[in-house]
Amino acid sequence: MRRLTSVLAAAVLALSLAACTPASGSDTGAPAAGVAAERVPLAELTPLADPKAYEGASTAHLLGAAIEPVAEAPAQSLPATVVSHDRSGDVDVTVADTSRVIAMDIAGSIAATVWGLGFGDTLVGRDISSTFPGVEDLPVITGSGHTINTEAVIALRPTLVITDGSIGPNDVVTQLRDVGIPVVFIEDTASYDGAIDMARAVAAVYGATAAGEALAQRTADALAATRADITTLAPQAEGDRLRMVFLYLRGSSGVYYLFGSESGADQLIEALGGVDVAGELGWGGMRPLTDEAMVSADPDLILVMTSGLDSVGGVDGLLQAKPAIALTRAGQHRRIVDMADGEILSFGPRSAEVLDALARAIYAPDVP
């Protein structure tokens, strides 16, 4: 299962963070006013001469948030029998009808994958993290803390529910089978390889293996090309690479967490050519941020979710609320890079585009 989502979901549910709901419009992925409609290719950008010396915050924007399907009306072979990776053990589930689907997880990646496969028109509801163009008018079936609203799901008369266990409670999700709704749990890891595997796994549920292979290959090719381009921007000498950490912020609830190894943040930082400080220090999962931890990490750059940064009053509010951050090199240079909540840690069809946007904000922040 996606380690990030398991850890994050548990923390959010335990703390009842109503503040987790992204601010309206914050996750649309649309470029801000002034962002160029076309961009210079990543490999052609002139990077900062010294990214460690740059001062100021920046926001990463996708050029376009739309997900291009690999096919229209992909061929299906139904019924399809697949293995559902329930927490209580693997079970076989037969899927006979994919006409009304709810695909849900804490990052919105499963619904994005469904769309990328070409089955977007089968979606009848969405989780709160699914915010890409085409789903904005679908009913939301998750509440505060990413908990599932069972009544809302049943009312939509789905013929299939696909999830990864990150939205719960888990027993409530499995109980949907009691009313005749097939529920399939796919395995999901917070990684770029996981995004490729997800394409195949979701396609298998739809009985559309060819579409799954097409999306998996497209995702893999785009990631390889983007990561190669990032190597032309990022410093190559170990001592010159930016030391980065990922912070999860919810100021209204007083929640400040640092994401460590196996959280997904480590994959992101490595792909961006940075040094994952949390992993270097042996911090795993998600841990409460302490002054000692922040000073010990002393990052050059901090990655955050946009609505999280908004919730603490922006960069000024963050530095005021957490003076230890102000003591770090990132704090002294105000080197905070934010990106929409539904994008920055979503591993799926847009993974390459997310990396592209973040690389621009980090290594060429003054270029539209």
Side-chain angles (χ1 to χ4, degrees):
M1 291 266 183
R2 182 188 297 249
R3 294 180 184 270
L4 164 65
T5 52
S6 298
V7 175
L8 181 54
V12 170
L13 291 172
L15 295 168
S16 300
L17 298 182
C20 268
T21 304
S24 176
S26 66
D27 268 36
T28 63
V35 174
E38 294 184 1
R39 284 174 166 166
V40 175
L42 198 61
E44 296 178 16
L45 291 175
T46 300
L48 296 170
D50 182 2
K52 287 190 176 184
Y54 183 82
E55 297 191 6
S58 52
T59 298
H61 294 285
L62 293 179
L63 179 59
I67 301 172
E68 185 69 26
V70 293
E72 294 184 12
Q76 292 180 264
S77 179
L78 295 174
T81 299
V82 295
V83 176
S84 176
H85 300 283
D86 294 17
R87 289 186 179 176
S88 58
D90 291 350
V91 298
D92 288 341
V93 175
T94 297
V95 177
D97 186 349
T98 60
S99 61
R100 299 183 62 81
V101 177
I102 291 176
M104 59 185 190
D105 70 295
I106 204 168
S109 298
I110 300 179
T113 300
V114 169
W115 196 278
L117 289 168
F119 295 111
D121 60 348
T122 68
L123 297 172
V124 295
R126 67 181 177 94
D127 55 60
I128 203 165
S129 296
S130 297
T131 55
F132 52 88
V135 300
E136 57 269 23
D137 294 330
L138 293 179
V140 177
I141 49 81
T142 53
S144 62
H146 299 280
T147 55
I148 186 173
N149 184 324
T150 312
E151 292 76 16
V153 170
I154 295 174
L156 293 173
R157 298 177 291 106
T159 59
L160 172 67
V161 170
I162 311 173
T163 187
D164 65 354
S166 60
I167 288 178
N170 187 69
D171 58 344
V172 173
V173 177
T174 55
Q175 285 170 8
L176 292 171
R177 291 173 180 157
D178 296 338
V179 296
I181 303 171
V183 177
V184 177
F185 287 81
I186 65 169
E187 287 189 320
D188 186 10
T189 59
S191 68
Y192 296 109
D193 286 344
I196 295 167
D197 291 340
M198 183 188 290
R200 296 188 176 100
V202 174
V205 178
Y206 273 86
T209 56
E213 287 301 321
L215 182 58
Q217 191 62 56
R218 187 181 77 179
T219 303
D221 290 347
L223 278 167
T226 301
R227 296 183 73 162
D229 288 345
I230 290 174
T231 63
T232 68
L233 299 178
Q236 297 304 300
E238 187 68 23
D240 295 336
R241 294 168 62 198
L242 286 169
R243 296 171 56 80
M244 305 182 193
V245 296
F246 190 105
L247 298 185
Y248 177 79
L249 315 171
R250 286 297 179 261
S252 56
S253 300
V255 173
Y256 299 82
Y257 279 93
L258 188 151
F259 282 7
S261 61
E262 299 185 331
S263 68
D266 52 341
Q267 288 266 325
L268 183 67
I269 290 170
E270 186 275 332
L272 289 168
V275 176
D276 174 29
V277 181
E280 183 181 74
L281 296 174
W283 298 338
M286 176 178 175
R287 58 184 289 167
L289 178 65
T290 65
D291 291 347
E292 293 79 8
M294 199 70 242
V295 172
S296 178
D298 191 21
D300 299 308
L301 183 144
I302 297 172
L303 297 168
V304 297
M305 297 176 179
T306 300
S307 67
L309 187 61
D310 290 344
S311 76
V312 298
V315 175
D316 289 335
L318 177 61
L319 298 181
Q320 182 176 0
K322 292 291 180 182
I325 294 178
L327 298 175
T328 67
R329 284 171 290 185
Q332 291 168 6
H333 289 155
R334 301 173 63 84
R335 198 72 163 100
I336 315 292
V337 175
D338 68 281
M339 191 173 192
D341 299 34
E343 297 167 359
I344 190 168
L345 278 180
S346 62
F347 295 91
R350 295 182 296 175
S351 291
E353 289 89 341
V354 169
L355 283 178
D356 180 293
L358 283 167
R360 293 171 188 275
I362 292 169
Y363 297 114
D366 298 323
V367 180

